[in-house]
Amino acid sequence: MPYLLPGLSKPKLVAMLPERNVHRCPFCNTAAAAVEYRGKRTAEERIREMEEDQKVIAAEIKMRQEETEAYAALQADLDGQQAIEAEIARLRQQEAYAASLAEEEEQIVIESDIRKRQEDEEHAARLSTVEEQRVIEAEFRKRLEDEVHAASLSNLEEQRAIEAAIKTQQEQEADAAALFIQVEQGEIEATIRQQEELLAYAASPSNQEEQGRIEAAIRAQQEQETYAAGLSNKEEQQEIEAAIRKQQEQEAVSASLLSVEEQGMVEAAAVIDQEQEAYAASLSNLEEQREIEAAIQMQQESEAYAFSLDELEEQEIIEADIALQQEEVASAAHLAEQVEPEETPASQPVASPSSPSPSTSSSLPSPSLLL
């Protein structure tokens, strides 16, 4: 065991020792080292050497344990890698299943687009049919209105002709009544003049009896004229009432005709309105049903899309975990490759009193010393 003198530096020690005892130490990095051989070692030196050997053996045991643990960890990593590879295979199967699901969803979307396009075409055709029916109904209504208007015009013309005839008749009756009144007035005036002449003639006393007879005759004549005038007035009044009654009957007939035509038009319009309302209600019900079906289908598609998104997110999370585990396994394998088992260091030379040169003899301690 080499021993350096205490309190001296290496250069001084090298200068003090003779040249023959200066040798290069195989365990030092310096240019030269002084080694002194002092003969047989003492008990303390042997104990220290045994302690150092025990420390070396403990370090070797610890290193071997670490190697065993590293090997066990590497084996565990390999098992984990196999599990990861199985998980990757399962994820690939899930990816294939997701791809098939995506293809099925695309096919469902394409079928829904085709169905929607067909429904739009049917709706457009139905709308065109409804527009044609509305045009036909408008033409029919216009034709009815034209016929009713023509009928009303003909009734108005007939009514106007009747009114003109009645007015002409009334004018003629009024002219005849005026002429009759003028004639009667002339006759009355002539009668009055005649009576005045008779009264003037009867003013004489000799003609009093004649005057009495004349007055009686005048009274009788006046009574007859009054009775005749009353009869003529009654006949004229009856004729006027008959004409008025006839006019009223004609007006009632024309009004009834107009009311019947108007009632027919109103009933036809009501029937048409009812049919239009029923058709509009059926169209609204169909549109509401289609909107409900479209909303249900859209909701189903959104739910399927959300489910696929959830599956894709879970798959991405699993892939990220697998990638992280693969990176950890790769880093562990890299570290295991870098960490190589260190070789056991060579034992130091032990000096013997018989030979001056150092001898490289290494001996392991006994198990009793280790204990």
Side-chain angles (χ1 to χ4, degrees):
M1 179 71 183
Y3 178 75
L4 298 176
L5 294 175
L8 294 175
S9 62
K10 288 184 180 180
K12 292 181 180 180
L13 182 62
V14 170
M16 290 174 65
L17 293 174
E19 185 67 26
R20 60 184 181 82
N21 293 328
V22 177
H23 301 281
R24 179 178 294 276
C25 180
F27 304 103
C28 297
N29 293 324
T30 57
V35 180
E36 181 182 3
Y37 297 96
R38 298 178 62 185
K40 189 176 179 180
R41 290 174 292 178
T42 62
E44 294 177 356
E45 290 177 353
R46 286 197 296 273
I47 290 168
R48 281 199 301 270
E49 185 178 2
M50 290 172 66
E51 289 178 353
E52 289 178 357
D53 292 337
Q54 286 180 357
K55 289 180 181 178
V56 170
I57 292 167
E60 289 179 354
I61 292 168
K62 185 178 181 181
M63 185 175 66
R64 288 175 183 174
Q65 288 178 354
E66 289 178 354
E67 289 178 356
T68 306
E69 291 175 355
Y71 180 74
L74 183 61
Q75 189 68 27
D77 291 335
L78 290 174
D79 295 336
Q81 189 174 2
Q82 290 177 358
I84 290 167
E85 289 176 355
E87 187 69 21
I88 290 168
R90 189 177 65 82
L91 289 175
R92 285 176 181 173
Q93 291 178 358
Q94 289 182 355
E95 288 178 357
Y97 181 68
S100 64
L101 286 177
E103 290 178 357
E104 290 178 357
E105 289 177 356
E106 290 178 357
Q107 189 174 1
I108 291 167
V109 170
I110 292 167
E111 289 177 356
S112 63
D113 291 335
I114 292 169
R115 195 181 301 110
K116 188 176 181 182
R117 193 178 298 110
Q118 290 176 357
E119 289 177 356
D120 293 335
E121 291 176 356
E122 290 176 358
H123 184 64
R126 193 176 296 106
L127 287 176
S128 63
T129 307
V130 170
E131 290 178 356
E132 290 176 358
Q133 188 174 1
R134 287 178 181 173
V135 170
I136 292 167
E137 289 176 356
E139 291 178 355
F140 180 70
R141 194 181 298 109
K142 187 176 180 182
R143 193 179 299 109
L144 284 175
E145 290 176 356
D146 293 337
E147 290 177 357
V148 172
H149 183 66
S152 63
L153 286 176
S154 63
N155 291 325
L156 288 172
E157 289 177 356
E158 290 177 358
Q159 188 176 0
R160 287 174 184 173
I162 291 166
E163 289 176 356
I166 292 168
K167 190 184 290 184
T168 305
Q169 187 177 0
Q170 288 177 357
E171 290 176 355
Q172 289 177 0
E173 289 176 355
D175 293 337
L179 288 173
F180 183 73
I181 290 167
Q182 287 179 2
V183 171
E184 285 183 351
Q185 190 175 3
E187 290 179 354
I188 291 166
E189 289 177 356
T191 305
I192 290 168
R193 281 195 300 271
Q194 188 177 1
Q195 288 177 0
E196 288 176 355
E197 289 176 357
L198 290 170
L199 289 171
Y201 177 73
S204 61
S206 61
N207 295 325
Q208 288 180 354
E209 294 177 0
E210 292 179 2
Q211 187 176 0
R213 288 195 298 272
I214 291 167
E215 287 176 0
I218 289 169
R219 280 195 299 274
Q221 187 177 1
Q222 286 178 354
E223 289 175 0
Q224 289 178 0
E225 289 176 356
T226 304
Y227 181 72
L231 289 174
S232 64
N233 289 326
K234 284 181 181 180
E235 290 177 356
E236 289 176 0
Q237 189 175 1
Q238 287 176 0
E239 289 178 357
I240 291 168
E241 288 176 357
I244 291 168
R245 196 179 300 108
K246 187 177 181 181
Q247 184 179 1
Q248 289 176 356
E249 289 175 357
Q250 290 177 355
E251 289 177 356
V253 170
S254 62
S256 64
L257 289 172
L258 288 173
S259 63
V260 169
E261 291 176 355
E262 289 177 357
Q263 188 175 3
M265 287 178 63
V266 170
E267 290 177 355
V271 171
I272 291 169
D273 291 334
Q274 289 177 359
E275 291 178 355
Q276 288 180 355
E277 289 176 358
Y279 186 70
S282 63
L283 284 178
S284 63
N285 291 326
L286 287 173
E287 290 177 356
E288 289 177 357
Q289 188 175 0
R290 286 175 182 171
E291 288 177 357
I292 291 167
E293 291 177 356
I296 292 168
Q297 187 175 0
M298 189 179 293
Q299 186 177 2
Q300 291 176 356
E301 291 177 356
S302 62
E303 290 177 356
Y305 183 69
F307 182 72
S308 64
L309 285 177
D310 294 335
E311 288 183 351
L312 288 173
E313 289 177 357
E314 291 178 358
Q315 188 174 358
E316 288 177 356
I317 292 168
I318 292 168
E319 288 178 356
D321 293 335
I322 290 169
L324 186 61
Q325 291 177 1
Q326 287 178 355
E327 289 177 358
E328 290 177 356
V329 170
S331 62
H334 186 65
L335 289 172
E337 289 177 357
Q338 287 182 354
V339 176
E340 294 178 354
E342 296 179 354
E343 295 179 358
T344 305
S347 62
Q348 296 178 355
V350 179
S352 63
S354 62
S355 62
S357 62
S359 63
T360 60
S361 63
S362 61
S363 62
L364 292 175
S366 64
S368 63
L369 290 174
L370 289 172
L371 294 171

